[in-house]
Amino acid sequence: MQDNKSISIIARTAFAFACAPLAVGRLAIILATLVVYHSIISAKADSCPSIKDEINTDRPDVTNSSVVTPPGSLQIENGVNFSARGDDRVIDGTNTRLRAGITNCLEVLVDTPTYFAKVGSSKNSGFSDVAPALKWQISPVPGKVDLSAVFGLALPTGSASIAGRGAQPYLQFPWSWELHSGWGLSGMFTEFFRPSDPASKLITEATFVIEKRVTERVSLFVEYVGDYPQNGSSAQLLNWGGLYRLTPNQQVDFHVALGLNHNAPSYIVGVGYSVRFDELFPVRRSSHSIAPRN
């Protein structure tokens, strides 16, 4: 009975956070709730991913994975996008994210600089920032619900015209709920802080995904993405795509996004490849045996 109540609370809370922008002041409440809830459910480290589990990536959708990389593993996720906004056409790549499991339920990740090239012109072309982050898998809880907390910081290493000015921290909560017959729901709530931007020092991003596992190797998804700046109008996208697992540790993917309003890109088309290397470095592991997740 208590497990069912826990599932219901987590699901309602995550759904509400993912579907609407929140005030900055409520972030403290969210963090406090997660810490308290973590102590209540007593999530065990041996329930987090292990090398027996197949690769689980932060792409191709905007919504990141709600689970971490197995301890001792290095995951490399890459992609290239072609996008249009008005008369401008842009190619960006390689969109590389490095994810390393440093212990049970905890990973460090780094977004390496991505080059944005305006087709037919060098104007407004350049690199994005390098952005390290720490990801803690707070769950799992009964009912196949997963929840993580991510704190990252984009360092001012890229072009100001591409990435903006100054350091830009962010706080992020990806979640997922596995349903029946291969269906799943997921989403993500993110607060981007831009202290050096006088126009909009805060951008709230909310996403919501419906996913279907078609076969053991193929999954498809449809995703809503909304960016809500503190000042100004929102930018909203409808994103869909899929992935194919070549092996348990390798995947290829694609996605297509259409802008839902004038502030969003007209369209984005992207492809990617990800791979995971296991047991690359020693880490402290749980003393309990680790069973594969279902």
Side-chain angles (χ1 to χ4, degrees), residues 9-247:
I9 293 173
I10 276 281
R12 290 198 303 268
T13 304
F15 184 83
F17 290 164
C19 292
L22 302 176
V24 182
R26 298 181 65 183
L27 284 174
I29 300 176
I30 298 172
L31 287 171
T33 301
L34 292 175
V35 172
V36 172
Y37 204 77
H38 179 58
S39 64
I40 293 175
I41 63 177
S42 300
K44 296 182 179 179
D46 60 3
S47 295
C48 287
S50 75
I51 59 174
K52 296 179 181 179
D53 296 300
E54 62 192 6
I55 188 172
N56 196 321
T57 64
D58 288 344
R59 53 168 305 113
D61 50 358
V62 174
T63 303
N64 293 333
S65 170
S66 60
V67 300
V68 297
T69 304
S73 298
L74 174 64
Q75 192 160 297
I76 306 174
E77 305 176 8
N78 312 277
V80 178
N81 295 315
F82 179 82
S83 61
R85 185 188 292 269
D87 295 330
D88 294 334
R89 302 292 183 269
V90 177
I91 297 176
D92 61 89
T94 57
N95 294 297
T96 297
R97 169 167 286 189
L98 307 176
R99 301 172 58 191
I102 55 178
T103 188
N104 289 311
C105 303
L106 191 68
E107 77 171 36
V108 62
L109 63 90
V110 179
D111 289 322
T112 64
T114 292
Y115 189 74
F116 289 77
K118 187 174 180 181
V119 177
S121 172
S122 60
K123 185 179 180 181
N124 293 330
S125 296
F127 284 96
S128 64
D129 293 338
V130 61
L134 192 65
K135 182 175 183 177
W136 169 44
Q137 187 176 335
I138 303 169
S139 58
V141 300
K144 300 182 180 179
V145 178
D146 288 296
L147 176 68
S148 289
V150 184
F151 175 74
L153 178 63
L155 303 174
T157 58
S159 304
S161 61
I162 300 297
R165 298 183 181 280
Q168 300 175 31
Y170 68 89
L171 188 61
Q172 192 172 74
F173 300 98
W175 61 272
S176 64
W177 191 353
E178 184 178 343
L179 304 177
H180 300 289
S181 303
W183 289 94
L185 301 177
S186 61
M188 188 169 68
F189 169 79
T190 308
E191 290 283 14
F192 296 100
F193 303 92
R194 309 179 70 177
S196 299
D197 187 345
S200 183
K201 295 181 180 295
L202 174 68
I203 298 176
T204 300
E205 183 175 82
T207 71
F208 183 73
V209 183
I210 301 175
E211 183 178 2
K212 169 64 174 176
R213 184 155 188 161
V214 181
T215 70
E216 285 299 314
R217 295 192 175 192
V218 177
S219 294
L220 301 174
F221 72 89
V222 177
E223 176 186 45
Y224 165 81
V225 182
D227 287 345
Y228 302 88
Q230 186 178 29
N231 299 309
S233 303
S234 65
Q236 302 179 53
L237 284 169
L238 183 64
N239 188 30
W240 68 91
L243 61 87
Y244 177 79
R245 292 184 179 88
L246 301 169
T247 70

